[in-house]
Amino acid sequence: MFHGIDRSVIEHESFKEDSVRELIIAPMIAKLGYGAVGSNRAARSAALKNPFIRVGTREHPVTIIPDYMLYADNRPVFVLDAKAPNQSTIDPKHVQQTYSYAFHPEVKVAEFGLCNGLELTIFDMDSFEPVFSLPFEEFESRWGDIEKYLTPRYLL
């Protein structure tokens, strides 16, 4: 599925977040059954307006943009955020960022995840401890575990 990509390729300084999106996450979500359109889809960079930002009585529009919103039966079921390989999927600031997308009133999903190409980490909204974490080297050999967490059927 990842066409000759190994850890040394991902760890190379030229492999950035956009490479993670294109070469790791995009093939993964396609194989999980999400398309670009339809009831089970992956929406990329969907803008969400934050309704809670105010300073005094003045409202300051803030837009947040999750990398991937996964939909099953036309409703949001999972937020997946891409990170560069040199950024940890358990760094509290990255987890909190993705949590803010998943908690957003337009989204309200039960789980969210981060992928930096080297690791896929999934969190439940009730805990900042990962419920699932998998290194890249095991993505293909443990594909069934990824399916258990991320297919539309599971997320519904």
Side-chain angles (χ1 to χ4, degrees):
M1 169 173 36
F2 299 107
H3 308 293
I5 297 173
D6 62 23
R7 189 173 195 89
S8 67
V9 172
I10 298 169
E11 289 176 336
H12 191 273
E13 64 185 36
S14 66
F15 204 92
K16 307 281 187 205
E17 182 178 321
D18 61 337
S19 298
V20 171
R21 288 183 198 175
E22 182 179 334
L23 300 173
I24 306 293
I25 295 175
M28 184 184 310
I29 61 176
K31 187 172 180 180
L32 287 165
Y34 298 97
V37 296
S39 62
N40 297 334
R41 67 186 180 282
R44 292 182 56 173
S45 303
L48 304 169
K49 291 193 185 315
N50 192 326
F52 303 114
I53 306 298
R54 290 187 170 278
V55 177
T57 59
R58 297 183 97 188
E59 192 170 309
H60 297 273
V62 173
T63 301
I64 58 176
I65 304 172
D67 291 325
Y68 296 90
M69 291 277 303
L70 302 182
Y71 290 82
D73 282 346
N74 287 315
R75 63 178 208 235
V77 291
F78 196 84
V79 173
L80 181 60
D81 207 44
K83 295 296 175 196
N86 65 349
Q87 296 178 324
S88 171
T89 61
I90 59 169
D91 181 315
K93 69 181 177 205
H94 300 314
V95 174
Q96 189 171 18
Q97 174 192 9
T98 311
Y99 176 91
S100 74
Y101 303 149
F103 184 73
H104 190 278
E106 293 176 44
V107 179
K108 295 181 184 176
V109 296
E111 296 174 326
F112 62 95
L114 296 95
C115 181
N116 65 1
L118 297 171
E119 187 171 35
L120 171 66
T121 306
I122 297 173
F123 295 86
D124 185 278
M125 289 297 288
D126 295 332
S127 173
F128 276 121
E129 295 300 317
V131 295
F132 179 73
S133 187
L134 192 66
F136 174 76
E137 294 83 5
E138 297 178 27
F139 281 14
E140 293 197 41
S141 65
R142 293 188 54 198
W143 182 252
D145 293 331
I146 293 174
E147 288 180 322
K148 287 176 190 173
Y149 280 96
L150 296 178
T151 57
R153 182 182 57 185
Y154 167 81
L155 291 168
L156 286 172

